Amino acid sequence: MSREWEELRCDVLILGSGGAGLLAALHAYDLEPRLDITVVAKGLVGKSGCTRLVQGGFNAALDPRDSVERHFRDTLAGGQFLNNQDLAWALVSEAPDVIRKLETKVGCFFDRREDGQIHQKAFAGQSFDRTVHRGDLTGIEIVSRLHDQLFARRIRVLDETRAVELIHDRAGHRITGALLLQQQTGAFVLARARVVLLATGGGPRMYTYSAPSLEKTGDGYAMAYRAGCDLIDMEMMQFHPTGLLAGASRLSGMVLEEGLRGAGAWLLNAQGERFMVRYDALRMERATRDLVARASYLEIMAGRGTPAGGVLLDASPLGAEFVARNFPGMVKRCAEVGYDLCAGPVEVIPTAHFHMGGARIDVDCHVPSLPGLLVAGEDAGGVHGANRLGGNGVADSCVFGSRAGRTAARMCAEWSFADPDETEAAQAQREAIAPLARERGESPFQIRDRLQRVMWDHVGLVRDAPGLERALAEIAELEDRAAHVAAPPGARWNLTWQQALDVRSLLTAARLTATAARHRQESRGSHARRDFPDRDDTRWLVNICQARDRTPWTEPVRLNRLTPDDLPTPHAARP
C-alpha cells in the first residue's frame, strides 16, 4: 500500500472557496475562534470560483412593501414546486439578515438609492424588485470583502489544491477527511478533520457553452456520489438565456446579466422579431430563465437564429446613457469581443449555468446518508427545484455557507477525530496517478470535447428518449476511454494530468444528469422532454434520487408549506 502523502489535521476542512466556503469559514471561526480551520481552493482564494463571477446580485426581501412570504412564493413558482420547501424557506427568511451582515460586518458596499436605502433592481420571475447589487459586478464586491476578512483571522488556506476523494473512517461509518492534491507540486495531502464541508461548486463545464469558471468540473458531485451520498434532481440543469456568442473566444458562453432583460432589453431573432411574444406574451423577456432560454433555443432550431447560431439581445431601447451608467461591466465585456452594447444588438446563446440538483441535505447542511459531511452551495440540491431564479444563487451560497459554518462549529464541540481509512486513501491515490504511469493513451482534452458535444446535443435544452439513450451510451464509451488516458511525465503543474482528473468528474456528473433526465418523463422547469411535453403533477411531483450501486428511485416532494393549488404557476412552453 502506498503512503506517499503529507498529513494535515484540522477541526474543519472546507473544500471550496466560493461564497459558501468563505462564509462557512468565517462563521465557524467567529463562533469558536479556537477552531483549526482549513480552506482548500482549486484555484486561488478570492480569484476563482463562481461567486466572484456573479454580476446581477442577491435576492432579499428588504423593502417594507415586499415580504419574505412573497419571496418564498416566487421561489416556489420559479422552481415549479420541486423545491425542498424547508430549504427554500431558510433561504428567503435568512437572506435579509445576511445582506445586513455583509454590509456591517464584512464591509460590502451595495448600491443605494437617493434616500439612502439599498437599491434593488428587477430580475425575471420576481413579483417585486428585490435584487441587491453592486453595479453589475456584485460577486467581485462580495468575494473581495470576504477574502479580506479571511486573512484577518487565523484560518489556513491551501491555494491551487484540488480535492481528490472524500475519505471515510476505518469503520466506514462517517467522513473523516479528504485526499488532496497540490497542483503546483504534485504532492498529495491526507487531511483529517472532525467535520468536512463540501462546497466546490457545480459542473456545467460538461456542455459546449457554459458560464462558470474553468475549475467547476463537477468534482463535488463525483466525490459525494463515490462516497455514498444521495443526490437528487440531477436532471435539472439551468441554461441562462443570454450567454455571449463570440466565436472561439473564451468569453463565449459568459453571461450578460439578467438585469438587462429586467430593465427592458429586448430579445430578437434574426428576422428582427421580439420572439418572446410567442412563448410568454405577458412577461416577455422577464419570464423565468427556463422559459426564455428554451424559447431562444426553439427559435434557433426553427431557422430563425443568426448565421452564427444565436439570437440577439438589444439593449438600445434603454438608451445609451442608461446602459453605460448601469451596466459598465457588461459594456466592457461586449467591447472586448467587438460589440457595442449601448448602440445595438449583441449575439447571445443559451449557456449552461447552474445545476439545481446535488447532494441531499437538511436545513443545517447535514448529509443524512453520510455523517461527518456537510454540503452547501451548488453542490447541494433541493433549494431551487426545477429552476433557480436569478439572484437566488449567491443568496443560496451565502445563507447556506453561513449555516454550514455554524453547524460545523457546533459539531466540533461534540465530535472527536477518527482515524481515516488509509486503504481507501491509497486506492484513491493510485487511481489519481494512473494517467502518469501510462506511456501511451488518449488525450483527456479529446474526451472532454466529445463529452461537451454529446451533452449539448442530447442532454441540453430539449431532450427525448432516443437522444438520452444515445448520450448514455456515448458517456459509457467515454468512461472506458477515460480509464486509459495518459499524461506526460512529471507531477508538477501537469495540466494534462489535471484535465484527466477533471474529465473523470465531468463524466460522472454527466452520467448522473443524463440518467435522471431519462427517468423524468415529463417537462418541468429546466427539464424539457420533446416526447413528454407537459408538466404532470399527478405522476412527477417527485424528486429523482440516485446513489452509488442503486437504480434511480423517486420520492414525493413534501408540500408542507404551499401546494400547486395554492399558487398556480406558468407551465413551460411545450418543446
Side-chain angles (χ1 to χ4, degrees):
M1 180 179 71
S2 172
R3 286 195 52 181
E4 297 179 359
W5 53 61
E6 303 171 19
E7 294 194 1
L8 169 70
R9 177 176 167 134
C10 59
D11 295 306
V12 182
L13 178 66
I14 298 175
L15 306 177
S17 64
L22 296 182
L23 261 301
L26 298 181
H27 276 259
Y29 182 92
D30 290 350
L31 203 60
E32 180 44 83
R34 291 174 297 178
L35 289 177
D36 186 338
I37 300 170
T38 298
V39 175
V40 178
K42 192 175 179 183
L44 296 171
V45 172
K47 306 296 182 187
S48 58
C50 286
T51 306
R52 185 178 172 81
L53 297 179
V54 169
Q55 302 156 357
F58 185 128
N59 289 346
L62 302 176
D63 193 293
R65 296 167 295 175
D66 195 11
S67 69
V68 167
E69 290 76 13
R70 204 167 171 177
H71 187 183
F72 181 65
R73 294 169 76 90
D74 288 346
T75 298
L76 260 57
Q80 301 273 309
F81 273 88
L82 212 62
N83 318 62
N84 177 314
Q85 296 193 9
D86 291 335
L87 295 179
W89 181 255
L91 171 76
V92 302
S93 60
E94 290 193 16
D97 187 54
V98 171
I99 282 290
R100 283 188 280 272
K101 288 179 177 173
L102 284 173
E103 280 210 324
T104 58
K105 293 191 67 174
V106 177
C108 293
F109 291 92
F110 298 116
D111 285 9
R112 292 189 173 267
R113 305 185 313 223
E114 290 184 357
D115 64 3
Q117 300 300 310
I118 290 178
H119 183 266
Q120 295 179 271
K121 62 183 176 181
F123 260 30
Q126 295 178 344
S127 60
F128 192 89
D129 298 349
R130 65 170 68 92
T131 305
V132 177
H133 64 106
R134 174 67 169 174
D136 60 350
L137 296 172
T138 308
I140 291 177
E141 174 68 12
I142 293 174
V143 170
S144 296
R145 303 296 179 183
L146 291 174
H147 184 247
D148 293 343
Q149 292 293 328
L150 190 74
F151 285 98
R153 292 162 172 82
R154 185 183 51 81
I155 295 174
R156 184 185 298 106
V157 171
L158 299 180
D159 279 325
E160 295 174 329
T161 300
R162 67 182 304 151
V164 176
E165 205 73 273
L166 299 171
I167 302 299
H168 296 80
D169 67 349
R170 290 178 180 172
H173 294 157
R174 59 179 272 202
I175 295 298
T176 191
L179 184 68
L180 312 177
L181 170 59
Q182 295 179 317
Q183 298 169 78
Q184 189 173 13
T185 63
F188 285 88
V189 177
L190 179 56
R192 180 193 302 190
R194 296 178 197 267
V195 182
V196 177
L197 169 62
L198 189 63
T200 61
R205 282 279 163 192
M206 70 180 84
Y207 288 90
T208 302
Y209 294 99
S210 61
S213 52
L214 294 175
E215 71 272 16
K216 299 304 173 189
T217 54
D219 301 326
Y221 304 134
M223 287 188 291
Y225 177 74
R226 290 194 295 266
C229 183
D230 292 353
L231 291 103
I232 63 169
D233 300 335
M234 289 297 288
E235 73 278 20
M236 295 302 174
M237 170 62 70
Q238 179 175 82
F239 291 81
H240 194 289
T242 52
L244 189 59
L245 187 55
S249 167
R250 287 180 66 176
L251 288 177
S252 267
M254 299 299 287
V255 165
L256 296 181
E257 75 132 305
E258 190 158 301
L260 285 160
R261 288 187 293 116
W266 294 354
L267 281 168
L268 308 172
N269 61 24
Q271 299 169 4
E273 299 172 317
R274 283 183 75 184
F275 58 82
M276 282 307 301
V277 72
R278 275 194 278 275
Y279 305 94
D280 191 331
L282 179 63
R283 297 183 297 179
M284 295 292 284
E285 286 85 359
R286 285 190 63 172
T288 50
R289 288 177 177 176
D290 55 335
L291 202 154
V292 180
R294 191 151 52 252
S296 299
Y297 176 81
L298 293 173
E299 288 295 301
I300 296 165
M301 291 298 102
R304 295 189 288 270
T306 65
V311 292
L312 302 166
L313 178 70
D314 188 2
S316 63
L318 303 174
E321 190 275 336
F322 178 89
V323 174
R325 184 178 69 251
N326 289 283
F327 302 101
M330 300 302 96
V331 171
K332 181 179 180 183
R333 174 169 293 179
C334 289
E336 289 177 357
V337 290
Y339 290 115
D340 185 348
L341 180 66
C342 299
V346 175
E347 284 193 273
V348 294
I349 191 168
T351 182
H353 184 56
F354 187 92
H355 222 143
M356 276 75 70
R360 189 210 300 265
I361 63 168
D362 66 16
V363 292
D364 291 319
C365 304
H366 294 288
V367 176
S369 55
L370 278 181
L373 180 68
L374 305 175
V375 181
E378 197 173 345
D379 283 338
V383 180
H384 308 288
N387 178 57
R388 175 174 71 76
L389 295 184
N392 271 0
V394 68
D396 173 347
S397 297
C398 293
V399 166
F400 287 99
S402 303
R403 279 183 165 245
R406 296 193 295 269
T407 301
R410 289 194 299 269
M411 289 174 66
C412 284
E414 302 169 359
W415 290 53
S416 59
F417 284 98
D419 291 331
D421 182 345
E422 295 192 2
T423 301
E424 185 179 57
Q427 177 64 26
Q429 186 184 44
R430 282 195 294 273
E431 292 176 1
I433 64 177
L436 292 173
R438 298 188 187 104
E439 294 185 2
R440 295 185 181 84
E442 190 171 359
S443 163
F445 295 98
Q446 294 175 336
I447 296 175
R448 178 204 61 189
D449 292 348
R450 181 59 196 162
L451 175 66
Q452 290 175 336
R453 194 71 246 173
V454 168
M455 293 299 288
W456 186 259
D457 288 345
H458 302 302
V459 199
L461 289 103
V462 179
R463 305 156 174 179
D464 59 28
L468 292 167
E469 294 293 348
R470 179 173 175 181
L472 284 164
E474 289 216 38
I475 290 168
E477 179 190 335
L478 291 172
E479 287 179 318
D480 288 341
R481 290 163 55 184
H484 300 91
V485 297
R492 296 174 182 269
W493 272 132
N494 187 328
L495 296 182
T496 304
W497 182 31
Q498 296 304 320
Q499 184 62 222
L501 298 175
D502 287 343
V503 162
R504 185 172 71 146
S505 295
L506 286 169
L507 284 165
T508 300
R511 177 161 44 81
L512 291 166
T513 303
T515 299
R518 179 178 61 179
H519 201 81
R520 182 174 290 282
Q521 295 180 348
E522 64 155 357
S523 292
R524 181 185 301 267
S526 61
H527 171 72
R529 289 281 299 253
R530 188 179 290 109
D531 43 355
F532 297 98
D534 297 316
R535 186 174 122 180
D536 182 356
D537 282 353
T538 302
R539 292 185 59 209
W540 291 104
L541 198 51
V542 298
N543 298 119
I544 294 176
C545 311
Q546 296 181 83
R548 187 172 185 173
D549 301 326
R550 289 191 64 179
T551 56
W553 73 99
T554 61
E555 295 183 9
V557 177
R558 284 187 69 227
L559 303 172
N560 54 325
R561 294 177 185 270
L562 286 176
T563 73
D565 291 337
D566 300 322
L567 182 63
T569 55
H571 288 212
R574 290 169 66 89

